[in-house]
């Protein structure tokens, strides 16, 4: 395909839509993933191998949170590893679209790694609280469990919304074709909302990772982590309401 510059230009043309994407993912994580995807392409890596690289950075960082006493140095190292892992998580899809080597196996592997990440990040915080935290109350041990619940339900519900929506759209198209009813013309995509992109920042995984920079100040870390837990729970309620209404609108008839 030519030079790295040529690969980067091809990757820019293979980007997913920015709709529903926060400013961090749009202007930080995706561009970083594009550079990593170009490097992976030049190194001859497959998208699945890039997914495993992402998992290695992420899971190593989470193991460190659980096993190493919190400090400013640990916080910086953990954040850096999580941010690089997240960028590689973007790079695998970009590389798949560039090379045409994506498939159900790659999508499955990517989602398995993501699901494991969401479970382990809060489990690691729970273990760190238990082993190293001088907590004001044992009730703080419940916080990572609640945050984990909100994160995993949001992830699974979002996947189901996407898959069930696709299935409903396919069924409607098949019904229209069988009854010789012409399909309704597609509506042009709505413009990307910058207000929505800003509003989604607190729910972005890359923004969440910033809280680990506070590991050297346990009180500040707990406060930041608790604030993010509240925000993610509010986003979960909003997302569930929105997705339920969207799916109900897809009922036949």
């Amino acid at each position: 395909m030519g030079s790295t510059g040529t690969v980067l230009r091809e990757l820019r043309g293979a980007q997913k839509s920015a709709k529903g994407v926060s400013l961090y993912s749009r202007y930080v994580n995706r561009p970083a993933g594009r550079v990593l995807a170009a490097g992976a392409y030049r190194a001859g890596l497959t998208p699945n191998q890039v997914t495993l690289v992402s998992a290695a950075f992420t899971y190593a960082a989470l193991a460190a949170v659980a096993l190493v006493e919190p400090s400013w140095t640990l916080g910086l190292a953990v954040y850096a590893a999580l941010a690089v892992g997240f960028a590689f998580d973007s790079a695998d899809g970009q590389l798949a679209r560039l090379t045409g080597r994506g498939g159900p196996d790659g999508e499955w592997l990517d989602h398995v790694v993501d699901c494991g990440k969401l479970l382990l990040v809060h489990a690691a915080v729970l273990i760190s609280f238990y082993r190293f935290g001088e907590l004001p109350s044992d009730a703080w041990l419940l916080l990572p469990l609640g945050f984990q619940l909100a994160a995993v339900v949001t992830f699974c519900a979002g996947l189901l919304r996407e898959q069930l929506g696709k299935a409903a759209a396919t069924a409607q198209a098949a019904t229209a074709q069988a009854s010789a009813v012409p399909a309704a013309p597609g509506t042009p995509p709505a413009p990307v909302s910058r207000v929505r992109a800003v509003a989604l920042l607190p729910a972005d995984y890359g923004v969440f990772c910033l809280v680990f920079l506070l590991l050297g100040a346990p009180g500040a870390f707990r406060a930041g982590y608790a604030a993010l837990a509240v925000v993610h729970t509010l986003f979960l309620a909003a997302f569930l309401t929105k997705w339920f209404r969207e799916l109900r609108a897809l009922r036949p008839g």
Side-chain angles (χ1 to χ4, degrees), residues 165-216:
K166 288 179 179 178
T170 300
Q172 289 176 352
T175 300
Q177 184 176 11
S179 58
V181 177
T187 57
V192 176
S193 169
R194 184 169 293 272
V195 173
R196 177 178 172 83
V198 172
L200 287 172
L201 276 171
D204 192 293
Y205 175 78
V207 174
F208 163 74
C209 291
L210 288 168
V211 76
F212 288 97
L213 290 172
L214 299 174
L215 278 176

Side-chain angles (χ1 to χ4, degrees), residues 27 38 47 71 79 88 91 99 102 128 137 149 157 172-173 192-193 195 199 234-235 241:
Y27 291 112
S71 67
Y79 170 72
F88 270 112
T99 61
S128 181
S137 166
L149 175 66
Q172 289 176 352
V192 176
S193 169
V195 173
L234 294 175
F235 269 100
T241 301

Side-chain angles (χ1 to χ4, degrees), residues 72 129 140 211-228:
W72 291 110
F129 278 0
W140 278 92
V211 76
F212 288 97
L213 290 172
L214 299 174
L215 278 176
F221 175 78
R222 286 197 304 271
Y225 184 79
L228 286 170

Side-chain angles (χ1 to χ4, degrees), residues 61-212:
L62 299 182
V65 171
L67 300 176
V68 180
E69 186 171 358
S71 67
W72 291 110
T73 301
L74 176 67
L76 182 60
V78 166
Y79 170 72
L82 290 176
V84 171
F86 191 35
F88 270 112
D89 187 30
S90 174
D92 60 4
Q94 297 189 51
L95 181 62
R97 289 188 292 277
L98 175 69
T99 61
R101 298 176 68 179
D105 59 318
E107 187 173 358
W108 175 85
L109 180 63
D110 185 54
H111 285 121
V112 168
V113 170
D114 284 345
C115 187
K117 172 177 67 180
L118 291 177
L119 289 167
L120 289 176
V121 66
H122 301 293
V125 171
L126 174 59
I127 294 170
S128 181
F129 278 0
Y130 180 77
R131 296 187 67 203
F132 307 113
E134 297 179 1
L135 303 176
S137 166
D138 287 345
W140 278 92
L141 296 174
L142 298 175
L143 177 62
L145 296 177
F147 203 157
Q148 184 182 73
L149 175 66
V152 173
V153 171
T154 300
F155 178 74
C156 293
L159 283 179
L160 283 170
R161 162 64 185 94
E162 180 181 358
Q163 296 304 316
L164 291 172
K166 288 179 179 178
T170 300
Q172 289 176 352
T175 300
Q177 184 176 11
S179 58
V181 177
T187 57
V192 176
S193 169
R194 184 169 293 272
V195 173
R196 177 178 172 83
V198 172
L200 287 172
L201 276 171
D204 192 293
Y205 175 78
V207 174
F208 163 74
C209 291
L210 288 168
V211 76
F212 288 97

